[in-house]
Structures are given as C-alpha cells and as structure tokens.
Amino acid sequence: MAELLRVLAYPKFALNASDRNELLDEFLPICESVTIPAPPPVVPKCRDVLDTPFLELALAGHAEFLVTGDTDLLILDESFPVSILRPTDLEELLRCRE
C-alpha cells in the first residue's frame, strides 16, 4: 500500500491529491490483501532488492500478472513463473480477451 501511494504521487502521473483519492476509492475495494509467508517464496535475484517483495507477493498471491514499468522487474519475465508485463501490454492483452 505504501508503495502504491508513493508511486501515484510521481509527477509523470500528474495526479493531484483528489485524483489519487478518487482512484484509490475505486481500486481498493477490489483488492485482496496478501501476506508474504515465512519463509518467503524463492524468487529470482533482482537488481533492485527493494523489488523482491513484489516478486514474493506475486507468487504468494497466485497472481496472473505482475504489471510494472520497472526495468529491473521486466527483465525477469523469462525466469519468473508469473508473467511480468508493462501496463500497455496488459491493456492490449485485456482488449484481446474481450
């Protein structure tokens, strides 16, 4: 949750506080909490160790996709059992499923 709040404040998204709150009001009710078990799932080594919990959460939560613009995560797509997609890739995939 803290990471989501931090990222939504990035200038590239151009969201003011009201926009962020509105987005969260719509998004959070459809979210599911996942706890990383102890010991955590074994994941590939990531260049940015701060990204490791997101890989662990994807496995622990049985995610279908991990959606990110982070290159450190995107390069792991071939070695990770959960598909790692850019937001535009997910958008295209969802369009094809309609």
Side-chain angles (χ1 to χ4, degrees), residues 35-74:
T35 301
I36 298 172
V42 176
V43 297
K45 186 170 171 62
C46 188
R47 291 187 304 201
D48 182 350
V49 296
L50 297 176
D51 289 334
T52 299
F54 298 101
L55 297 169
E56 294 169 347
L57 279 170
L59 288 179
H62 307 286
E64 188 173 351
F65 309 108
L66 176 57
V67 182
T68 184
D70 187 326
T71 306
D72 291 334
L73 290 170
L74 289 165

Side-chain angles (χ1 to χ4, degrees), residues 1-95:
M1 178 58 81
E3 178 72 359
L4 176 60
L5 293 172
R6 186 179 73 78
V7 168
L8 288 176
Y10 284 178
K12 71 180 180 178
F13 295 122
L15 298 171
N16 62 36
S18 177
D19 293 336
R20 290 191 301 270
N21 288 335
E22 184 177 332
L23 183 119
L24 291 171
D25 286 346
E26 292 179 25
F27 180 68
L28 293 178
I30 61 171
C31 290
E32 180 182 331
S33 288
V34 174
T35 301
I36 298 172
V42 176
V43 297
K45 186 170 171 62
C46 188
R47 291 187 304 201
D48 182 350
V49 296
L50 297 176
D51 289 334
T52 299
F54 298 101
L55 297 169
E56 294 169 347
L57 279 170
L59 288 179
H62 307 286
E64 188 173 351
F65 309 108
L66 176 57
V67 182
T68 184
D70 187 326
T71 306
D72 291 334
L73 290 170
L74 289 165
I75 62 171
L76 298 175
D77 184 44
E78 296 296 319
S79 63
F80 193 61
V82 175
S83 293
I84 302 175
L85 305 174
R86 289 178 177 81
T88 55
D89 298 332
L90 178 62
E91 183 179 34
E92 183 179 325
L93 179 69
L94 292 174
R95 256 193 240 120

